[in-house]
Amino acid sequence: MSEGTSVVMESSENGTDLSQDDIGTIEGTPDNTILSRQTSVNLVPFIGQRFISQEAAYEFYCSFAKQCGFSIRRHRTRGKDGVGRGVTRRDFACHRGGYPQMKPSEDGKMQRNRKSSRCGCQAYMRIVKRADFEVPEWRVTGFSNIHNHELLKPQEVRLLPAYCTISPDDKIRICMFAKAGMSVRQMLRLLELEKVCKKLKDENPNFKYDFKIDRHNRLEHIAWTYASSVQLYEAFGDAMVFDTTHRLDAYDMLLGIWLGVDNHGMTCFFGCVLLQDENMQSFSWALKTFLGFMKRKAPQTILTDHNMWLKEAISIEMPETKHAFCIWHIVAKFSDWFSVLLGSRYDDWKAEFYRLYNLESVEDFELGWREMVNKYGLNANKHIVSLFALRTVWALSFLRRYFFAGIMSTCQSESINAFIQRVLSAQSQLDRFVEQVAEIVDFNDRVGAKEKMQWKLQKMILKTGSPIESHAATLLSPYAFGKLQDELVLAPQYASLPVDEGCFQVRHHTQMDGGCKVIWAPCQGHISCSCHQFEFSGILCRHVLRVLSTNNCFHIPDQYLPTRWRGVNSSSTNPFQTATTREHSDKIQLLESMASTLITESIEMEERLDVACEQIAIALSRVKELSRSTHGMNEISYNCPSDSLILPEVEDADGIVRSFTIGHPHDSITLGKIKERRPKDGTEITRKRRNCSGPCCGHFGHDGSACSIMGDDDLHGDALGYL
C-alpha cells in the first residue's frame, strides 16, 4: 500500500458559506496562493489552493497523479451546468477508486464479467466554487493521497489510457473513418502507417512518402523510399525491377518493391508501395509517385512479372522506358498451361522453348517459333498465341539491344528474390513494417559496404596477361571486371576474319561458318557486335575483345567502360596520367591504406564505429589548424598514379604483371615498411615497370624509344586502335 498525507476539509454545499475552520485555513495560506491555469508538477495539492477553472484544477491534479504513478477521473459533482448556479463542487478520484458494477444489457441478460482495475481506492481531490468580488474561482477543500494499491513506475504510468491522448486532428479523422464504415483494425493500420512515415520524415528530411485516400477516407495506397535509396537510384537507376507478385496478409494489400543492381552486382533497394487494388489505376499511381520521389527520372529499362495492367500503366507513365516481362514468371505457368496438353512431349517442348528464348537473331527466333508451333500442334492454343503477340517483351532476341544490367540472369534473380523474402518476413508486426523495411535496407547497405571493402583489399590474379585486362582492372569494379575477364579468357578460342574494311566475322574455332559480325571504326571511336552483349549488359563480348586484341589495341575505349560499372575510386580520366611526386604518392598511399583498414575494422561493431568517428574528428580538427601552404604544389608530378594497380612486388622475372589489388594500390599495403628490391651487383637497379616517357602504346616495361610497336615504321595511328 502506498501512503501519503491525508488532509480533508469540507465546505458548504453552495461553496460560498465556508465554516470558520475553512476560513481560517484559507486565510492562513500564503499570499502567493496559486491561482493559475498551470502549476509545477513538483508541487502537492493543498487545502486552499485556488484555480480559475475546473479544467485548470483537473490539469494540475492530473500532472501530480502522473508524477506519482496513477491517473485520475472526474467523480461526483454538486449542481448541474445551466441550472441555477451550475456546478459548485467537483471531486476528482484515483482511476482505481470505486468498484465495478454488473449492469444488465438491453435484452435483460447480465453483461460478461470483464476484469476491472477498480479496487476502492480512496485517494481524491475536491474543489468548490466561490466568487470574491464577483470573480469566480475554485478552491481545494479536500485532498487525500492514500492509495490501497501499488503506484506505477514512470515507464509504466505513461501506458495508462488517461495519458494515451489522441490529438484533435486524429479525433476528427477517426470520426470520419467511422462514418465511412472503416473497422477499428483498418483505422489503426492507416494511422500507424502515417505516424511511422511522419516519424521517419522528422528524423530524416530526405525520407519520402506519399499516400492516397479514397472517397470514403480509407487508405488506398501508400509508397515510400529512403535517402540512401534516392542516391542509389541516381547512380544505378538505369535498369530496374518492379516486383508485384506478393501480398501482405497483415495489411491485405499488394506489395510492390522497386529494386536494382549496383556496380558491384549487389541488389539495391529503390522504394516500396502498398496498393489496395491490382488494376491499371493503382499501378499508374505507384509509378507516378515513384517518379516523383526520383525527380522525374525514369529508368531505361524495367523488368516486371507477367501483368497486363502493369504493362499498360508503364506505357503511360514511362513511355520512353523499355518494359520486359520476367521469363521466370512466365515459365512458372507452363505446367498448368501445357503439361496435360503435351503429355510426355512436355519436357522436349520446354527445352525447345528455352532454346528459342536465348536466340540472338530475331529472324531465327520467328522461324524457329513457327517450326515449334507446327511440330507440337499448338497453332490454335491461346497461350501460344498470346506469348507470340508479346514476344517483344520477353524474348531475348528482341531485348538484347536494351541495357538491363544483368538483372535477367539467374544469379541476379536469386539475389533479388532473397531480398524480397526478407521484406516479406517483416510483415508480422504491423505497426513496425515501414521501420523494419528501413532496417532491412540499412542492413543490406552495411553488408554491401563491408563486402565491397573486402573486395577492394583482395588481390586479383590476372588470367591472360593482356594489357586490355590490366587496363580494365584499374577502372572497373571487381564484379564488372570479373564478367569482362570471363570474356577475355574465352576470346582466344575465336577466330577473327576480316570481311570488309572495318568489318570482321568472329566465330568459334570449331565452327566452319556463321559467327558474329563485329564492326570496328577506330577513327569514329565505334565498335559493335551483332550479339549485342554490350548493349544488353554493359560488358564487352568475347567477339569484340578478340578483334581488339588481334588489331593491336591495348586499351578498351573509355566509352565502353560504362561509369555505372566502374569502381568507386575510378574516374573517367586517363588513369596513367601523372599527378604528384613519388615521395608524396607513398604517403598518400599509406594514408589511404590506413583509412581503408579503419573503415573495415570500424563497421564490425557500433562501439568501434563511434570511437573511429570521434578520433577522426579530432585528427581532422588538428589537420585544419595547420597553416595551408601552396609552395611547390605546382611542381608535383609522378609517374605511378594512385589509381594504378601496380605494386612494387607484383611481377615475375619477365616483368609481366601477374597479380594486382582491386582498387587503389594502397589497399594491400600494410602499415609496415614496403620491402625494397636489392641490387645483386651493388648498383641501383631501375624499376622495370614504368609508363612510356613519350607517345607510346601505353603498356608497361619500356619507354617510347624502346617501344617495338611505335618503332615499327609500317604501323600508323589507325592500326594501333584505341591507345
Side-chain angles (χ1 to χ4, degrees), residues 307-405:
N307 190 306
M308 298 307 295
W309 286 321
L310 184 53
K311 181 179 183 298
E312 185 177 355
I314 291 173
S315 66
I316 296 174
E317 302 299 335
M318 299 178 175
E320 302 300 323
T321 299
K322 176 59 180 178
H323 176 215
F325 286 153
C326 178
I327 190 62
W328 309 117
H329 292 118
I330 295 176
V331 172
K333 303 174 183 178
F334 282 178
S335 179
D336 296 334
W337 289 354
F338 304 112
S339 60
V340 176
L341 178 65
L342 297 175
S344 60
R345 300 188 300 168
Y346 172 69
D347 291 337
D348 293 337
W349 172 86
K350 193 174 181 180
E352 177 66 10
F353 176 86
Y354 278 126
R355 187 189 71 82
L356 296 175
Y357 166 74
N358 286 288
L359 287 176
E360 296 177 355
S361 168
V362 172
E363 294 77 12
D364 290 345
F365 170 84
E366 294 188 342
L367 176 61
W369 186 270
R370 287 193 293 270
E371 293 175 352
M372 179 268 291
V373 169
N374 294 330
K375 178 180 178 180
Y376 291 93
L378 298 173
N379 302 76
N381 184 276
K382 63 179 181 180
H383 301 301
I384 290 294
V385 173
S386 176
L387 285 173
F388 186 74
L390 296 171
R391 63 191 181 280
T392 58
V393 293
W394 63 263
L396 290 183
S397 56
F398 294 92
L399 299 176
R400 293 186 189 276
R401 293 171 176 80
Y402 302 92
F403 179 70
F404 280 91

Side-chain angles (χ1 to χ4, degrees), residues 96-377:
R96 302 194 66 176
Y99 296 95
Q101 297 180 354
M102 298 292 292
K103 296 181 179 179
S105 59
E106 295 180 356
D107 57 3
K109 297 181 180 179
M110 298 299 291
Q111 291 182 342
R112 62 189 177 92
N113 185 20
R114 294 182 176 179
K115 291 184 179 180
S116 174
S117 63
R118 296 193 181 187
C119 59
C121 181
Q122 297 295 318
Y124 80 104
M125 185 181 83
R126 175 174 295 166
I127 58 175
V128 296
K129 181 181 180 181
R130 64 171 298 169
D132 289 341
F133 307 105
E134 299 182 354
V135 178
E137 66 179 25
W138 293 82
R139 295 190 182 184
V140 177
T141 61
F143 170 67
S144 173
N145 198 33
I146 299 178
H147 300 265
N148 64 351
H149 56 87
E150 293 292 330
L151 298 179
L152 300 178
K153 298 177 182 179
Q155 63 269 27
E156 298 172 337
V157 71
R158 63 184 180 86
L159 301 177
L160 291 173
Y163 303 123
C164 298
T165 57
I166 301 177
S167 66
D169 291 339
D170 287 342
K171 289 180 180 179
I172 294 174
R173 297 205 66 191
I174 290 172
C175 291
M176 293 173 59
F177 295 157
K179 291 180 180 178
M182 288 181 65
S183 65
V184 175
R185 178 174 176 269
Q186 289 175 319
M187 294 181 194
L188 289 174
R189 181 181 65 190
L190 173 57
L191 293 174
E192 285 167 354
L193 285 172
E194 291 180 3
K195 296 295 183 184
V196 171
C197 288
K198 289 178 181 178
K199 175 176 175 288
L200 291 173
K201 182 71 173 178
D202 293 338
E203 294 175 353
N204 188 345
N206 292 322
F207 173 78
K208 299 181 180 182
Y209 75 99
D210 195 7
F211 60 90
K212 181 182 179 183
I213 305 298
D214 63 15
R215 58 189 181 90
H216 298 297
N217 292 310
R218 290 180 293 189
L219 176 66
E220 190 170 5
H221 315 306
I222 183 168
W224 67 92
T225 188
Y226 308 98
S228 62
S229 301
V230 176
Q231 294 175 354
L232 285 171
Y233 184 83
E234 184 67 26
F236 309 112
D238 43 14
M240 183 174 68
V241 175
F242 185 28
D243 185 275
T244 58
T245 57
H246 301 88
R247 293 188 71 88
L248 293 185
D249 296 333
Y251 293 82
D252 190 26
M253 300 179 80
L254 182 72
L255 171 67
I257 305 179
W258 290 282
L259 300 166
V261 176
D262 66 9
N263 58 332
H264 290 272
M266 301 188 67
T267 300
C268 48
F269 176 88
F270 293 149
C272 201
V273 65
L274 293 176
L275 302 173
Q276 190 69 259
D277 305 306
E278 186 176 1
N279 52 41
M280 196 277 289
Q281 291 76 18
S282 297
F283 289 132
S284 181
W285 181 90
L287 295 171
K288 188 180 299 183
T289 302
F290 178 80
L291 290 177
F293 292 160
M294 304 303 175
K295 304 175 184 178
R296 308 304 306 172
K297 177 184 175 182
Q300 296 179 27
T301 56
I302 184 170
L303 186 66
T304 72
D305 56 296
H306 188 198
N307 190 306
M308 298 307 295
W309 286 321
L310 184 53
K311 181 179 183 298
E312 185 177 355
I314 291 173
S315 66
I316 296 174
E317 302 299 335
M318 299 178 175
E320 302 300 323
T321 299
K322 176 59 180 178
H323 176 215
F325 286 153
C326 178
I327 190 62
W328 309 117
H329 292 118
I330 295 176
V331 172
K333 303 174 183 178
F334 282 178
S335 179
D336 296 334
W337 289 354
F338 304 112
S339 60
V340 176
L341 178 65
L342 297 175
S344 60
R345 300 188 300 168
Y346 172 69
D347 291 337
D348 293 337
W349 172 86
K350 193 174 181 180
E352 177 66 10
F353 176 86
Y354 278 126
R355 187 189 71 82
L356 296 175
Y357 166 74
N358 286 288
L359 287 176
E360 296 177 355
S361 168
V362 172
E363 294 77 12
D364 290 345
F365 170 84
E366 294 188 342
L367 176 61
W369 186 270
R370 287 193 293 270
E371 293 175 352
M372 179 268 291
V373 169
N374 294 330
K375 178 180 178 180
Y376 291 93

Side-chain angles (χ1 to χ4, degrees), residues 388-668:
F388 186 74
L390 296 171
R391 63 191 181 280
T392 58
V393 293
W394 63 263
L396 290 183
S397 56
F398 294 92
L399 299 176
R400 293 186 189 276
R401 293 171 176 80
Y402 302 92
F403 179 70
F404 280 91
I407 58 178
M408 287 186 171
S409 67
T410 302
C411 179
Q412 290 298 342
S413 297
E414 292 174 351
S415 175
I416 289 172
N417 185 64
F419 185 92
I420 294 172
Q421 293 304 318
R422 291 199 296 271
V423 173
L424 292 175
S425 66
Q427 65 171 308
S428 57
Q429 298 184 25
L430 177 65
D431 58 335
R432 293 198 63 238
F433 179 70
V434 179
E435 289 180 327
Q436 285 182 314
V437 174
E439 292 171 1
I440 293 171
V441 173
D442 181 63
F443 175 80
N444 191 70
D445 292 343
R446 284 188 281 112
V447 170
K450 183 177 179 179
E451 290 188 6
K452 292 170 188 176
M453 185 58 63
Q454 291 174 346
W455 286 337
K456 188 178 179 183
L457 297 176
Q458 289 176 353
K459 288 186 177 180
M460 175 66 71
I461 303 299
L462 299 186
K463 299 179 180 179
T464 67
S466 165
I468 289 180
E469 185 182 22
S470 60
H471 173 228
T474 65
L475 297 178
L476 297 177
S477 69
Y479 170 80
F481 176 69
K483 296 293 184 183
L484 181 69
Q485 192 177 56
D486 291 342
E487 297 297 317
L488 276 167
V489 170
L490 295 174
Q493 300 180 16
Y494 288 76
S496 174
L497 308 174
V499 177
D500 200 351
E501 183 177 359
C503 181
F504 300 84
Q505 193 76 14
V506 182
R507 57 174 175 259
H508 196 265
H509 70 92
T510 60
Q511 294 177 321
M512 299 304 296
D513 55 9
C516 293
K517 184 178 181 181
V518 175
I519 304 297
W520 184 37
C523 296
Q524 287 76 33
H526 170 78
I527 190 166
S528 63
C529 180
S530 60
C531 73
H532 299 291
Q533 177 171 306
F534 178 77
E535 292 87 342
F536 188 59
S537 66
I539 303 295
L540 285 177
C541 64
R542 61 199 69 171
H543 316 112
V544 166
L545 294 172
R546 181 59 174 165
V547 171
L548 291 178
S549 63
T550 55
N551 285 273
N552 301 321
C553 183
F554 300 104
H555 288 169
I556 295 177
D558 190 70
Q559 64 269 32
Y560 294 102
L561 295 171
T563 302
R564 73 106 58 223
W565 286 133
R566 298 197 179 196
V568 176
N569 297 317
S570 65
S571 62
S572 59
T573 59
N574 189 335
F576 298 98
Q577 291 177 350
T578 60
T580 60
T581 64
R582 172 65 64 183
E583 178 182 358
H584 285 77
S585 173
D586 292 341
K587 294 180 180 179
I588 292 173
Q589 290 177 7
L590 179 60
L591 178 62
E592 290 177 336
S593 177
M594 294 171 65
S596 298
T597 305
L598 178 67
I599 295 174
T600 303
E601 295 294 333
S602 300
I603 61 178
E604 294 288 342
M605 297 173 58
E606 191 69 25
E607 292 79 6
R608 287 187 177 186
L609 193 59
D610 293 338
V611 173
C613 292
E614 179 182 354
Q615 295 301 319
I616 285 294
I618 295 173
L620 185 60
S621 177
R622 292 185 60 186
V623 170
K624 289 182 177 180
E625 290 175 358
L626 299 176
S627 59
R628 179 176 298 178
S629 174
T630 59
H631 178 67
M633 291 300 293
N634 294 331
E635 300 176 359
I636 294 177
S637 63
Y638 72 113
N639 289 331
C640 186
S642 61
D643 280 332
S644 173
L645 298 180
I646 306 304
L647 291 180
E649 297 300 323
V650 187
E651 64 178 274
D652 64 7
D654 296 326
I656 300 176
V657 181
R658 293 300 183 190
S659 66
F660 287 0
T661 58
I662 295 302
H664 290 284
H666 64 263
D667 293 336
S668 64

Side-chain angles (χ1 to χ4, degrees), residues 680-693:
K680 296 181 180 179
D681 56 357
T683 59
E684 186 72 22
I685 56 174
T686 58
R687 303 175 63 86
K688 290 184 180 180
R689 188 176 292 101
R690 62 183 183 272
N691 281 338
C692 300
S693 59

